[in-house]
Tab-separated table of all heavy atoms in Angstrom:
chain	number	residue	atom	x	y	z
A	7	ARG	N	-10.767	-15.994	-11.753
A	7	ARG	CA	-10.043	-15.815	-10.442
A	7	ARG	C	-11.001	-16.240	-9.355
A	7	ARG	O	-10.564	-16.855	-8.393
A	7	ARG	CB	-9.652	-14.351	-10.368
A	7	ARG	CG	-9.042	-13.998	-9.038
A	7	ARG	CD	-7.526	-14.403	-8.938
A	7	ARG	NE	-7.036	-14.160	-7.670
A	7	ARG	CZ	-6.566	-13.015	-7.193
A	7	ARG	NH1	-6.577	-11.926	-7.944
A	7	ARG	NH2	-6.013	-12.994	-5.970
A	8	SER	N	-12.267	-15.749	-9.390
A	8	SER	CA	-13.219	-16.059	-8.308
A	8	SER	C	-13.350	-17.557	-8.209
A	8	SER	O	-13.446	-18.148	-7.083
A	8	SER	CB	-14.492	-15.412	-8.534
A	8	SER	OG	-14.374	-14.002	-8.558
A	9	ALA	N	-13.493	-18.239	-9.310
A	9	ALA	CA	-13.698	-19.709	-9.304
A	9	ALA	C	-12.507	-20.366	-8.709
A	9	ALA	O	-12.600	-21.351	-7.984
A	9	ALA	CB	-14.005	-20.229	-10.721
A	10	LEU	N	-11.280	-19.951	-9.149
A	10	LEU	CA	-10.087	-20.502	-8.555
A	10	LEU	C	-9.978	-20.363	-7.060
A	10	LEU	O	-9.714	-21.350	-6.280
A	10	LEU	CB	-8.831	-19.827	-9.190
A	10	LEU	CG	-7.507	-20.147	-8.585
A	10	LEU	CD1	-7.129	-21.582	-8.833
A	10	LEU	CD2	-6.403	-19.216	-9.123
A	11	ILE	N	-10.207	-19.167	-6.613
A	11	ILE	CA	-10.172	-18.888	-5.148
A	11	ILE	C	-11.203	-19.722	-4.341
A	11	ILE	O	-10.899	-20.291	-3.378
A	11	ILE	CB	-10.345	-17.438	-4.844
A	11	ILE	CG1	-9.137	-16.552	-5.421
A	11	ILE	CG2	-10.446	-17.118	-3.363
A	11	ILE	CD1	-7.821	-16.905	-4.806
A	12	ALA	N	-12.435	-19.762	-4.911
A	12	ALA	CA	-13.401	-20.534	-4.225
A	12	ALA	C	-13.073	-22.052	-4.223
A	12	ALA	O	-13.206	-22.726	-3.194
A	12	ALA	CB	-14.771	-20.385	-4.949
A	13	GLY	N	-12.520	-22.528	-5.329
A	13	GLY	CA	-12.074	-23.922	-5.372
A	13	GLY	C	-10.922	-24.228	-4.443
A	13	GLY	O	-10.959	-25.252	-3.713
A	14	LEU	N	-10.040	-23.293	-4.242
A	14	LEU	CA	-8.966	-23.470	-3.320
A	14	LEU	C	-9.469	-23.508	-1.954
A	14	LEU	O	-9.005	-24.316	-1.103
A	14	LEU	CB	-7.947	-22.326	-3.472
A	14	LEU	CG	-6.990	-22.432	-4.637
A	14	LEU	CD1	-6.182	-21.200	-4.825
A	14	LEU	CD2	-6.022	-23.612	-4.451
A	15	GLY	N	-10.386	-22.615	-1.587
A	15	GLY	CA	-10.912	-22.601	-0.230
A	15	GLY	C	-11.590	-23.895	0.156
A	15	GLY	O	-11.602	-24.352	1.253
A	16	ILE	N	-12.243	-24.491	-0.781
A	16	ILE	CA	-12.899	-25.767	-0.542
A	16	ILE	C	-11.941	-26.962	-0.557
A	16	ILE	O	-11.971	-27.824	0.288
A	16	ILE	CB	-14.008	-26.062	-1.620
A	16	ILE	CG1	-15.074	-25.016	-1.497
A	16	ILE	CG2	-14.617	-27.486	-1.478
A	16	ILE	CD1	-16.097	-24.945	-2.629
A	17	ALA	N	-10.987	-26.907	-1.475
A	17	ALA	CA	-10.044	-28.016	-1.635
A	17	ALA	C	-9.050	-28.146	-0.472
A	17	ALA	O	-8.599	-29.225	-0.188
A	17	ALA	CB	-9.294	-27.838	-2.955
A	18	GLY	N	-8.681	-26.972	0.137
A	18	GLY	CA	-7.849	-27.076	1.322
A	18	GLY	C	-6.394	-27.031	0.879
A	18	GLY	O	-6.031	-26.675	-0.190
A	19	ALA	N	-5.575	-27.577	1.809
A	19	ALA	CA	-4.113	-27.418	1.689
A	19	ALA	C	-3.532	-28.141	0.395
A	19	ALA	O	-2.538	-27.714	-0.106
A	19	ALA	CB	-3.471	-27.924	2.936
A	20	GLY	N	-4.210	-29.167	-0.019
A	20	GLY	CA	-3.697	-29.885	-1.138
A	20	GLY	C	-3.625	-29.054	-2.410
A	20	GLY	O	-2.805	-29.288	-3.261
A	21	ALA	N	-4.552	-28.020	-2.487
A	21	ALA	CA	-4.540	-27.203	-3.643
A	21	ALA	C	-3.397	-26.198	-3.641
A	21	ALA	O	-3.038	-25.651	-4.678
A	21	ALA	CB	-5.906	-26.469	-3.769
A	22	LEU	N	-2.846	-25.946	-2.481
A	22	LEU	CA	-1.836	-24.951	-2.359
A	22	LEU	C	-0.551	-25.248	-3.143
A	22	LEU	O	-0.043	-24.537	-4.017
A	22	LEU	CB	-1.462	-24.802	-0.917
A	22	LEU	CG	-0.488	-23.557	-0.509
A	22	LEU	CD1	-1.241	-22.280	-0.921
A	22	LEU	CD2	-0.154	-23.603	0.903
A	23	ALA	N	-0.163	-26.523	-3.007
A	23	ALA	CA	1.015	-26.965	-3.827
A	23	ALA	C	0.726	-27.061	-5.257
A	23	ALA	O	1.515	-26.751	-6.137
A	23	ALA	CB	1.468	-28.341	-3.313
A	24	ALA	N	-0.601	-27.468	-5.570
A	24	ALA	CA	-0.955	-27.534	-6.985
A	24	ALA	C	-0.884	-26.197	-7.727
A	24	ALA	O	-0.729	-26.159	-8.906
A	24	ALA	CB	-2.343	-28.122	-7.132
A	25	CYS	N	-1.076	-25.108	-6.935
A	25	CYS	CA	-1.028	-23.769	-7.551
A	25	CYS	C	0.398	-23.190	-7.496
A	25	CYS	O	0.549	-22.005	-7.754
A	25	CYS	CB	-1.939	-22.861	-6.806
A	25	CYS	SG	-3.701	-23.082	-7.381
A	26	GLY	N	1.341	-23.953	-7.066
A	26	GLY	CA	2.693	-23.486	-7.240
A	26	GLY	C	3.330	-22.942	-5.931
A	26	GLY	O	4.144	-22.071	-6.031
A	27	SER	N	2.733	-23.348	-4.777
A	27	SER	CA	3.330	-22.826	-3.541
A	27	SER	C	3.992	-23.828	-2.698
A	27	SER	O	3.564	-24.150	-1.632
A	27	SER	CB	2.189	-22.152	-2.777
A	27	SER	OG	1.857	-20.974	-3.378
Side-chain angles (χ1 to χ4, degrees):
R7 174 83 187 274
S8 300
L10 169 66
I11 294 297
L14 281 171
I16 295 170
L22 192 63
C25 279
S27 289

